[in-house]
Amino acid sequence: MGVLYMQGVGKSYSSGFWGRKRLVLSDLSLEIRQGEVFGLLGHNGAGKTTTMRLVLGLLRPDTGRITLHGKSNRAKESRSRIGYLGDEIGLYPQFSADEIMQLTGELFRMEPRFLRKRKTHLLETVGLSSHTDLKVKKYSKGMRQRLGIALALLNEPDFLILDEPYSGLDPIGRRDVRQLLLNLKKEGATILLSSHIVPDVEAVCDRVGILSGGRIQRCLALKDIYAHKKASVEITVSGVDRSIFDNNPSVDTLYDNGEAIVFRCEGADIVKEVVTKVYAFDGTVLEVKPLKFNLEDYLLEALVEVDPARDGTKTSASPEEMTYAHSQ
C-alpha cells in the first residue's frame, strides 16, 4: 500500500523584476510504500526541499496531484499523521527543550500524562536528557538538530519527512541519528529523507530516488544495485612477472615496482584464475581486496548520464541495474 503518491507534479517560481518563471520540478512522479525508508538524492537546487514542502502542503503544485494514505495531502487528517524536520529549524530561543516539547504536545492536544512520558523518552533517545532545562539559544547546531528530530517524532507520526537530518551533527551524532532511523525502520516506520551524506543514506534506505532535471530520473532498490553491479577486485602479488597475464585482457596491471604487482579484474572465475596462476609460478598472493561499488559511485554515474538541458533525456543503461520511476 502506498503512503505517498505523486503524479505529474510540476512547480515553478517567479523571480526577478519581470517575474520570469523558473522551473524547479516538471512531471515528477513517485510512490513511497508503507514501511519503507526512501532517500531523495540530487545536486544542490535539484528540488529536494521543494518536493518535501509540496508533500507537506506548504506549497501548491502548478500541475499534478499528491495524496497521502489515499487522501489529499492538504486534508487535515493527512497532515496530522506527518512528522517533519525541515532544513531550517525554527525554535523559540528563550525556551528550554522541555518547554518547546510541552508547547508542541499541547498544540497536538496530547493527553498530559502521555505527553510527559513521550517527551522524556524522546529527549533521552536523542541525547538531550541532561540539557532539558537549558535555553535553546545556548544549544549548538547539533543539539538543535537533535531537538528538531525529537519534535518530529512527538506525535508518533505514520509518515516521517526529514530534510537533511544529519546537518550539523558530529560523527557521534550522525551515528546516533543513523541508529535511531534504523530502529524506526525495524518498527515499520515510513520515512522520506534527503541528505548530502550518501553513506548515511545508503545505511538506512530501502530505495533511493535520484532527482535531476525536475523529475525523478531513477528509483533504485539498493539490494538490486549490489546484486547486479559487478565490483572490481584488486590482487596484490609478489614473486612473479607481470607478463604472465599479458595475453589475458580480463586482467589489468595497475602497479609494478619490481617487488609487488597489483592486478585488477572482475568476476569470481577471473579472480580464481589469477590466484591459481600466481601460485603455479611460485608467487605469493599478498592481498585480495574487493572494491565495493557504493551508492555514491552509482549516483555520480547516474547524474553524468542525465542531461537536464535536454529535458532529462537519459542515455542507455542496463535495466537490471535500475528500475525507473513511475513517470516513465
Side-chain angles (χ1 to χ4, degrees):
M1 177 183 177
V3 172
L4 170 66
Y5 185 70
M6 306 176 72
Q7 184 175 25
V9 173
K11 182 63 181 177
S12 59
Y13 295 107
S14 298
S15 62
F17 179 78
W18 301 105
R20 291 190 177 92
K21 294 287 187 179
R22 180 175 65 88
L23 188 65
V24 178
L25 300 176
S26 172
D27 193 29
L28 186 152
S29 295
L30 171 68
E31 182 179 3
I32 296 181
R33 305 157 190 155
Q34 180 73 43
E36 79 170 337
V37 181
F38 190 94
L40 199 58
L41 290 176
H43 54 80
N44 289 332
K48 300 186 297 296
T49 296
T50 295
T51 299
M52 292 183 168
R53 290 177 178 173
L54 286 166
V55 173
L56 290 162
L58 300 177
L59 296 174
R60 289 183 180 270
D62 298 332
T63 59
R65 67 189 184 97
I66 307 171
T67 61
L68 287 168
H69 302 284
K71 299 180 180 179
S72 169
N73 69 310
R74 299 186 68 84
K76 181 179 179 180
E77 55 268 33
S78 296
R79 299 169 82 173
S80 66
R81 300 169 67 181
I82 297 176
Y84 174 56
L85 173 69
D87 56 336
E88 296 181 3
I89 307 173
L91 300 169
Y92 295 105
Q94 298 297 331
F95 283 22
S96 67
D98 183 79
E99 290 170 335
I100 291 177
M101 294 284 281
Q102 181 69 32
L103 174 61
T104 305
E106 291 176 2
L107 290 173
F108 277 114
R109 295 185 173 88
M110 298 173 69
E111 194 273 325
R113 183 180 299 177
F114 175 77
L115 175 56
R116 284 196 299 271
K117 292 181 179 179
R118 182 69 177 162
K119 66 182 181 180
T120 299
H121 167 70
L122 288 174
L123 289 171
E124 183 178 350
T125 298
V126 299
L128 292 177
S129 58
S130 60
H131 305 283
T132 56
D133 297 324
L134 185 67
K135 292 187 183 299
V136 169
K137 66 179 182 180
K138 297 182 179 180
Y139 275 21
S140 66
K141 178 64 170 66
M143 292 170 70
R144 289 170 180 258
Q145 193 73 2
R146 291 167 184 258
L147 178 55
I149 293 172
L151 289 168
L153 293 169
L154 185 61
N155 63 322
E156 296 185 299
D158 296 331
F159 184 33
L160 190 59
I161 299 177
L162 306 174
D163 195 356
E164 300 289 345
Y166 301 99
S167 176
L169 296 176
D170 57 24
I172 295 176
R174 282 175 54 199
R175 181 200 62 192
D176 292 344
V177 171
R178 184 167 59 245
Q179 188 58 53
L180 173 61
L181 295 179
L182 288 172
N183 291 338
L184 291 170
K185 180 178 178 179
K186 289 180 181 178
E187 295 170 4
T190 305
I191 303 173
L192 168 64
L193 68 90
S194 70
S195 177
H196 291 297
I197 306 173
V198 177
D200 289 325
V201 173
E202 188 177 27
V204 302
C205 290
D206 301 300
R207 287 193 302 148
V208 171
I210 297 177
L211 182 60
S212 182
R215 66 184 67 177
I216 301 291
Q217 299 292 347
R218 297 180 180 181
C219 280
L220 312 171
L222 296 187
K223 60 182 179 63
D224 292 338
I225 294 177
Y226 303 127
H228 297 292
K229 189 70 181 180
K230 289 184 177 180
S232 298
V233 176
E234 289 185 358
I235 305 174
T236 305
V237 305
S238 64
V240 296
D241 192 278
R242 60 188 292 182
S243 62
I244 63 175
F245 294 108
D246 282 350
N247 296 324
N248 191 335
S250 299
V251 181
D252 297 324
T253 302
L254 299 182
Y255 176 79
D256 183 2
N257 66 355
E259 296 182 359
I261 307 171
V262 180
F263 296 114
R264 177 176 290 178
C265 57
E266 289 184 2
D269 292 340
I270 302 299
V271 172
K272 182 178 179 180
E273 178 183 341
V274 171
V275 172
T276 301
K277 197 166 189 177
V278 168
Y279 283 128
F281 279 82
D282 294 327
T284 302
V285 176
L286 302 177
E287 182 182 32
V288 178
K289 182 173 70 174
L291 303 179
K292 180 185 176 184
F293 188 90
N294 59 34
L295 180 58
E296 186 171 6
D297 298 326
Y298 203 98
L299 171 64
L300 294 175
E301 179 182 289
L303 291 178
V304 168
E305 291 178 354
V306 177
D307 182 7
R310 294 190 300 167
D311 193 27
T313 303
K314 293 171 285 296
T315 61
S316 61
S318 170
E320 66 179 2
E321 292 176 4
M322 66 183 181
T323 55
Y324 288 106
H326 292 278
S327 59
Q328 302 301 313

